[in-house]
Amino acid sequence: MTLSGVYVPLVTPFDAAGAVAYAAIESLAHQVLDGGAAGLVALGTTGEPGALDPGEQRDVVDVIARVCRERGAPLVVAANTAAALAALGGRPEVTAALTLVPPFVRPGEAGVVAYLAGLAAASPVPLVVYHVPYRTGQPLSAATLRRIAALPGVAGVKLAVGGIDDTTVELMADPPARFAVLGGDDAVISPLLAIGAHGGILASAHLATAAFVGLVDRWRAGDAEPARVLGHRLAALSAALFAAPNPTVLKAVLHAQGRIPSPAVRLPLLAPGDDAVRAALARLAGAPVEAFP
């Protein structure tokens, strides 16, 4: 299995009373799949999983899994413990787990490899390793990423290092076989695709979904000039959406579009400033809503 294309990590909308709006999740899932998304991600950071209780987490996955089953779409679920991974075994719609490099403890690169090897061996589904060192505090070299790619049960990486750094360039100069590299920094997805990434897990693709799908398709086809033009426009949109902590601006824009019942987020997140929301709406108005011709 090689994952590719645009995967959308769905937000968790809340209603006016603060409860999870499950019907809105279902609607969003259908909308982004209608826009050409290759698959969905449940309980990613964009979905505020730490603010959901266990029952809400389970119910969110149930709703998204049902849509994926109806649509024949792959589902990736964030799972970072052996118990969370084991719970995915009874869900045939789940094709992979998004598993974070262990945060905060900074176990060293050998420790990361051993940790992921243990989880992969116990998991009923392949892992997509989420490497986001500006959050976890644990850098990884290209050599270590290759060791991770060689682990049985590891299908790919969500690469979110804050840009196109030397490690990314070294990895993509000779990418491991049958190992999906998916971009996780929305604003730099275009240059990552240009050097060979297979796709992305992109919160921004809740909006202008078809355009993000078109961006991947253009780079795959080698249509560099239209891909660059489209990539610049989408990068500006992504930067505006991430001007405040994710997914605060995104949810405000989705609410302004009438796609979710409220812009609410749960603590520790706070609502974004009005200026940030207005700027994102302005960028969206200038972004393409269909795949670039």
Side-chain angles (χ1 to χ4, degrees):
M1 177 189 68
T2 299
L3 295 87
S4 62
V6 173
Y7 281 70
V8 180
L10 290 174
V11 300
T12 302
F14 304 115
D15 64 21
V20 176
Y22 295 104
I25 297 174
E26 183 174 4
S27 178
L28 286 173
H30 281 293
Q31 289 166 16
V32 298
L33 291 173
D34 287 344
L40 304 176
V41 178
L43 303 182
T45 306
T46 303
E48 302 173 72
L52 305 178
D53 66 36
E56 290 171 328
Q57 291 180 5
R58 182 187 61 251
D59 291 344
V60 165
V61 176
D62 284 344
V63 169
I64 301 173
R66 184 172 66 248
V67 173
C68 288
R69 182 168 61 250
E70 293 171 358
R71 300 292 296 268
L75 173 60
V76 178
V77 178
N80 299 303
T81 65
L85 289 165
L88 302 180
R91 294 184 177 274
E93 302 82 10
V94 178
T95 56
L98 183 63
T99 302
L100 188 63
V101 168
F104 190 73
V105 294
R106 301 178 67 185
E109 293 183 87
V112 170
V113 174
Y115 170 82
L116 292 172
L119 287 181
S123 177
V125 296
L127 306 187
V128 175
V129 175
Y130 187 9
H131 178 40
V132 54
Y134 52 82
R135 291 181 185 267
T136 65
Q138 178 61 66
L140 298 175
S141 65
T144 296
L145 289 169
R146 293 183 194 284
R147 290 178 63 196
I148 291 169
L151 293 173
V154 173
V157 63
K158 178 183 178 183
L159 194 63
V161 298
I164 308 296
D165 64 359
D166 290 346
T167 295
T168 302
V169 172
E170 184 179 348
L171 179 70
M172 299 310 298
D174 184 20
R178 296 177 296 281
F179 180 70
V181 177
L182 303 174
D185 289 314
D186 295 28
V188 295
I189 186 59
S190 188
L192 189 61
L193 291 167
I195 61 172
H198 297 84
I201 297 176
L202 306 172
S204 301
H206 281 82
L207 309 171
T209 309
F212 281 97
V213 173
L215 180 67
V216 174
D217 291 344
R218 287 296 178 184
W219 280 119
R220 279 181 183 164
D223 295 337
E225 184 55 30
R228 280 195 293 267
V229 173
L230 181 55
H232 291 159
R233 297 172 72 181
L234 293 177
L237 172 62
S238 294
L241 292 171
F242 282 79
N246 185 50
T248 60
V249 178
L250 173 59
K251 292 180 85 171
V253 171
L254 290 169
H255 176 61
Q257 292 182 321
R259 296 171 63 191
I260 60 176
S262 86
V265 292
R266 289 181 179 175
L267 290 172
L269 295 174
L270 298 173
D274 292 342
D275 288 348
V277 179
R278 282 193 292 267
L281 286 167
R283 287 293 186 186
L284 181 60
V289 295
E290 300 293 339
F292 199 82

